[in-house]
Amino acid sequence: MRQQVIIPWRDAGCTYRRHHFDFLCNYYSEEFDIVIANNPGDFNRSAARNIGVSKTHSDVAVVIDADNYIPHNQIYRAIEKANKTGKLVKPFNLFGYLTEDSTQIFYEFYGIDAIEFEPSYINPPQNDFTGGAYVIKKSTWQNIGGMDEGFIGWGAEDDAFHILCKKRLGGIHTIPGNDFHLYHPAHRVTSEYNYDNLMIEYVRNKRLYYRDWET
């Protein structure tokens, strides 16, 4: 039975996102089976991810957002590392938001895993990015309680999950390589309450420290 890749997804009518979703489902299905994860009611990425993990038959949960391209070989290495260590593994160590132009270049040159072109980024690639993709044993995800569904829409839940994994699992691993975020117009549920007040409530409830959030 093939390893599964979980993609949280709800079609919000954006043609860019739909194109990326269709392309990435086809790309990942070359090597993996796909689990599309959604939740009842208003979209909540934490809930969708938790549902996806609960549905996977794989021992290691691989969760990748619907606008993130990660080469197959990095995913395989992350699965191996998660199995060996029992920790959260990010299947990349550099995360970059592609511009609209470089996303078009990506589609023109797709087919070489190494992405042999010089992409331009909205911002410089980040080496400590908390979102995009997660590789972790399914049992570990469930034992630590998964993602907190109290976060509205999406955003700060990624930071919260990293804090939890660092404290409960003794650290996080990364795999050398890129995660390419394909361009689409910005549309996300963001608010001061979601990013600040909920994070404060989260670290209190989990008996974590504010410095864990800040670092």
Coordinates of all heavy atoms in Angstrom, one line a residue, residues 2 5 7 19-34 64 68-76 106-107 110-115 178 180 182:
R2 N 0.6 2.2 -0.9 CA 1.4 3.4 -1.0 C 1.2 4.4 0.1 O 0.1 4.4 0.7 CB 1.1 4.1 -2.4 CG 1.4 3.3 -3.6 CD 1.7 4.1 -4.8 NE 0.7 5.1 -5.1 CZ 0.8 6.0 -6.1 NH1 1.9 6.0 -6.9 NH2 -0.2 6.8 -6.4
V5 N -0.5 11.2 0.9 CA -0.2 12.6 1.2 C -1.6 13.3 1.4 O -2.5 13.1 0.6 CB 0.5 13.3 0.0 CG1 0.4 14.8 0.1 CG2 2.0 12.8 -0.1
I7 N -3.8 16.6 1.7 CA -3.9 18.0 1.2 C -5.2 18.6 1.8 O -6.3 18.2 1.3 CB -3.9 18.0 -0.3 CG1 -2.6 17.4 -0.9 CG2 -4.0 19.5 -0.8 CD1 -2.5 17.3 -2.4
H19 N -6.0 25.9 -10.0 CA -5.0 25.4 -10.9 C -3.9 24.7 -10.2 O -3.4 23.6 -10.5 CB -4.5 26.5 -11.8 CG -3.4 26.1 -12.8 ND1 -3.6 25.2 -13.8 CD2 -2.1 26.5 -12.9 CE1 -2.5 25.1 -14.5 NE2 -1.6 25.8 -13.9
H20 N -3.4 25.4 -9.1 CA -2.3 24.8 -8.3 C -2.7 23.5 -7.7 O -2.0 22.5 -7.7 CB -1.9 25.8 -7.2 CG -1.4 27.1 -7.7 ND1 -0.8 27.3 -8.9 CD2 -1.4 28.3 -7.1 CE1 -0.5 28.5 -9.1 NE2 -0.8 29.2 -8.0
F21 N -4.0 23.5 -7.1 CA -4.5 22.3 -6.5 C -4.5 21.1 -7.5 O -4.0 20.0 -7.2 CB -5.9 22.5 -5.9 CG -6.6 21.3 -5.4 CD1 -6.2 20.7 -4.2 CD2 -7.7 20.8 -6.1 CE1 -6.9 19.6 -3.8 CE2 -8.3 19.7 -5.7 CZ -8.0 19.1 -4.5
D22 N -5.1 21.3 -8.6 CA -5.2 20.3 -9.6 C -3.8 19.8 -10.1 O -3.5 18.6 -10.2 CB -5.9 20.7 -10.9 CG -7.4 21.0 -10.6 OD1 -7.9 20.4 -9.6 OD2 -8.1 21.7 -11.4
F23 N -2.9 20.7 -10.3 CA -1.5 20.4 -10.7 C -0.8 19.5 -9.6 O -0.2 18.5 -9.9 CB -0.7 21.6 -11.0 CG 0.8 21.4 -11.1 CD1 1.3 20.8 -12.3 CD2 1.6 21.6 -10.1 CE1 2.7 20.5 -12.3 CE2 3.0 21.4 -10.1 CZ 3.5 20.8 -11.3
L24 N -0.9 20.0 -8.4 CA -0.2 19.4 -7.3 C -0.8 18.0 -7.0 O 0.0 17.1 -6.6 CB -0.1 20.3 -6.1 CG 0.8 21.5 -6.2 CD1 0.5 22.5 -5.1 CD2 2.2 21.1 -6.4
C25 N -2.1 17.9 -7.1 CA -2.7 16.5 -6.9 C -2.1 15.5 -7.9 O -1.8 14.4 -7.6 CB -4.2 16.6 -7.0 SG -5.0 17.2 -5.5
N26 N -2.0 16.0 -9.1 CA -1.4 15.1 -10.2 C 0.0 14.8 -9.9 O 0.5 13.7 -10.1 CB -1.6 15.8 -11.6 CG -3.0 15.8 -12.1 OD1 -3.8 14.9 -11.7 ND2 -3.4 16.8 -12.9
Y27 N 0.8 15.9 -9.5 CA 2.2 15.7 -9.2 C 2.4 14.7 -8.1 O 3.2 13.7 -8.2 CB 2.9 17.0 -8.9 CG 4.2 16.8 -8.4 CD1 5.3 16.4 -9.2 CD2 4.5 17.1 -7.0 CE1 6.6 16.2 -8.7 CE2 5.8 16.9 -6.5 CZ 6.8 16.5 -7.3 OH 8.1 16.3 -6.8
Y28 N 1.8 14.9 -6.9 CA 2.0 14.1 -5.8 C 1.5 12.7 -6.0 O 2.0 11.7 -5.5 CB 1.4 14.7 -4.5 CG 2.1 15.9 -4.0 CD1 1.4 17.1 -3.9 CD2 3.5 15.9 -3.8 CE1 2.1 18.2 -3.4 CE2 4.2 17.0 -3.4 CZ 3.5 18.2 -3.2 OH 4.1 19.3 -2.8
S29 N 0.4 12.5 -6.8 CA -0.1 11.2 -7.1 C 0.8 10.3 -8.0 O 0.5 9.1 -8.1 CB -1.5 11.3 -7.7 OG -1.5 11.9 -9.0
E30 N 1.8 10.9 -8.6 CA 2.8 10.1 -9.3 C 3.5 9.1 -8.4 O 3.9 8.0 -8.8 CB 3.9 11.0 -9.9 CG 3.3 11.9 -11.0 CD 4.4 13.0 -11.5 OE1 5.5 12.9 -10.9 OE2 4.1 13.8 -12.3
E31 N 3.7 9.5 -7.1 CA 4.4 8.6 -6.1 C 3.5 8.2 -4.9 O 3.8 7.3 -4.2 CB 5.6 9.4 -5.6 CG 6.7 9.7 -6.7 CD 7.4 8.5 -7.1 OE1 7.5 7.5 -6.3 OE2 8.0 8.5 -8.2
F32 N 2.5 9.0 -4.6 CA 1.7 8.8 -3.4 C 0.2 8.8 -3.7 O -0.2 9.3 -4.7 CB 2.0 9.9 -2.4 CG 3.4 10.2 -2.2 CD1 4.1 11.3 -2.8 CD2 4.2 9.4 -1.4 CE1 5.4 11.6 -2.6 CE2 5.6 9.7 -1.2 CZ 6.2 10.7 -1.8
D33 N -0.5 8.2 -2.8 CA -2.0 8.3 -2.8 C -2.4 9.6 -2.2 O -1.7 10.0 -1.2 CB -2.7 7.1 -2.2 CG -2.5 5.8 -2.9 OD1 -2.3 5.9 -4.2 OD2 -2.5 4.7 -2.3
I34 N -3.5 10.2 -2.6 CA -3.9 11.5 -2.1 C -5.1 11.4 -1.2 O -6.1 10.7 -1.6 CB -4.2 12.5 -3.3 CG1 -3.0 12.5 -4.3 CG2 -4.6 13.9 -2.8 CD1 -1.8 13.1 -3.7
I64 N 0.5 18.4 3.3 CA 1.1 19.4 2.5 C 0.0 20.3 2.0 O -1.1 19.9 1.5 CB 1.8 18.8 1.2 CG1 2.9 17.8 1.7 CG2 2.5 19.9 0.4 CD1 3.6 17.2 0.5
N68 N 1.7 24.3 -2.3 CA 3.1 24.1 -2.0 C 3.7 22.9 -2.8 O 3.2 21.8 -2.7 CB 3.3 23.8 -0.5 CG 3.2 25.0 0.4 OD1 4.1 25.4 1.1 ND2 2.0 25.6 0.4
Y69 N 4.7 23.2 -3.5 CA 5.4 22.2 -4.3 C 6.7 21.8 -3.6 O 7.6 22.6 -3.3 CB 5.8 22.7 -5.7 CG 6.7 21.8 -6.5 CD1 6.2 20.7 -7.3 CD2 8.1 21.9 -6.4 CE1 7.0 19.9 -8.0 CE2 8.9 21.0 -7.1 CZ 8.4 20.0 -7.9 OH 9.2 19.2 -8.6
I70 N 6.8 20.5 -3.3 CA 8.0 19.9 -2.6 C 8.4 18.7 -3.4 O 7.6 17.8 -3.7 CB 7.7 19.5 -1.2 CG1 7.2 20.7 -0.4 CG2 8.9 18.9 -0.5 CD1 6.7 20.4 1.0
P71 N 9.6 18.6 -3.9 CA 10.1 17.4 -4.6 C 9.9 16.1 -3.9 O 10.0 16.0 -2.7 CB 11.6 17.7 -4.9 CG 11.7 19.2 -4.8 CD 10.7 19.6 -3.8
H72 N 9.5 15.1 -4.7 CA 9.3 13.7 -4.1 C 10.4 13.2 -3.2 O 10.1 12.7 -2.1 CB 9.0 12.7 -5.2 CG 7.8 12.9 -6.0 ND1 7.8 12.7 -7.4 CD2 6.6 13.4 -5.7 CE1 6.6 12.9 -7.8 NE2 5.8 13.4 -6.9
N73 N 11.6 13.4 -3.6 CA 12.7 12.8 -2.9 C 12.8 13.4 -1.5 O 13.2 12.8 -0.5 CB 14.0 13.0 -3.6 CG 14.5 14.5 -3.8 OD1 13.7 15.3 -4.3 ND2 15.7 14.8 -3.4
Q74 N 12.5 14.7 -1.3 CA 12.5 15.3 0.0 C 11.4 14.8 0.9 O 11.6 14.6 2.1 CB 12.3 16.9 -0.1 CG 13.5 17.6 -0.8 CD 13.2 19.0 -1.1 OE1 13.7 19.6 -2.0 NE2 12.4 19.7 -0.3
I75 N 10.3 14.4 0.3 CA 9.2 13.8 1.1 C 9.6 12.4 1.6 O 9.4 12.1 2.8 CB 7.9 13.7 0.3 CG1 7.5 15.2 -0.1 CG2 6.8 13.0 1.0 CD1 6.3 15.2 -1.1
Y76 N 10.2 11.6 0.7 CA 10.7 10.3 1.1 C 11.7 10.4 2.2 O 11.6 9.6 3.2 CB 11.3 9.6 -0.1 CG 10.3 9.0 -1.0 CD1 10.2 9.3 -2.4 CD2 9.3 8.0 -0.6 CE1 9.3 8.8 -3.2 CE2 8.4 7.5 -1.5 CZ 8.4 7.8 -2.8 OH 7.5 7.3 -3.6
F106 N 7.9 28.4 -13.3 CA 7.8 27.1 -12.7 C 7.0 26.1 -13.6 O 7.4 25.0 -13.9 CB 7.2 27.2 -11.3 CG 6.8 25.8 -10.7 CD1 7.7 25.1 -10.1 CD2 5.5 25.4 -10.9 CE1 7.4 23.8 -9.6 CE2 5.1 24.1 -10.3 CZ 6.1 23.4 -9.7
Y107 N 5.8 26.6 -14.0 CA 5.0 25.7 -14.8 C 5.6 25.4 -16.2 O 5.5 24.3 -16.7 CB 3.6 26.3 -15.0 CG 2.7 26.1 -13.8 CD1 2.2 27.1 -13.1 CD2 2.3 24.8 -13.5 CE1 1.4 26.9 -12.0 CE2 1.5 24.6 -12.4 CZ 1.0 25.6 -11.6 OH 0.2 25.4 -10.6
Y110 N 8.6 22.9 -15.3 CA 8.3 21.8 -14.4 C 8.7 20.5 -15.1 O 8.5 20.3 -16.3 CB 6.8 21.7 -14.0 CG 6.4 20.4 -13.5 CD1 6.8 20.0 -12.2 CD2 5.7 19.5 -14.2 CE1 6.5 18.8 -11.7 CE2 5.4 18.2 -13.8 CZ 5.8 17.9 -12.5 OH 5.5 16.6 -12.0
G111 N 9.2 19.5 -14.3 CA 9.5 18.2 -14.8 C 10.9 17.9 -14.4 O 11.3 16.7 -14.4
I112 N 11.7 18.8 -13.9 CA 13.0 18.6 -13.3 C 12.9 18.8 -11.8 O 12.6 19.9 -11.4 CB 14.1 19.5 -13.9 CG1 14.1 19.4 -15.4 CG2 15.4 19.2 -13.3 CD1 15.0 20.4 -16.1
D113 N 13.1 17.7 -11.1 CA 12.8 17.8 -9.6 C 13.6 18.9 -9.0 O 13.2 19.6 -8.0 CB 13.2 16.5 -8.9 CG 11.9 15.8 -8.4 OD1 10.8 16.4 -8.5 OD2 12.1 14.8 -7.8
A114 N 14.8 19.2 -9.5 CA 15.7 20.2 -8.9 C 15.2 21.6 -9.2 O 15.7 22.6 -8.6 CB 17.1 20.0 -9.4
I115 N 14.2 21.8 -10.1 CA 13.7 23.1 -10.5 C 14.9 24.0 -11.0 O 15.4 24.9 -10.3 CB 13.0 23.8 -9.3 CG1 11.9 22.9 -8.7 CG2 12.3 25.1 -9.9 CD1 10.9 22.5 -9.7
N178 N 14.0 22.8 -1.0 CA 13.0 23.9 -1.1 C 11.6 23.5 -1.0 O 11.2 22.4 -1.4 CB 13.2 24.6 -2.4 CG 14.5 25.4 -2.5 OD1 14.7 26.5 -1.9 ND2 15.5 24.8 -3.2
F180 N 8.4 25.4 -2.5 CA 8.0 26.5 -3.4 C 6.5 26.8 -3.2 O 5.6 25.9 -3.5 CB 8.2 26.2 -4.9 CG 9.7 26.0 -5.2 CD1 10.3 24.8 -5.2 CD2 10.5 27.1 -5.6 CE1 11.6 24.6 -5.5 CE2 11.8 27.0 -5.9 CZ 12.4 25.7 -5.8
L182 N 3.4 28.5 -4.6 CA 3.0 29.0 -5.9 C 2.1 30.2 -5.7 O 1.2 30.2 -4.8 CB 2.3 27.9 -6.6 CG 3.1 26.6 -6.8 CD1 2.3 25.6 -7.6 CD2 4.4 26.9 -7.5

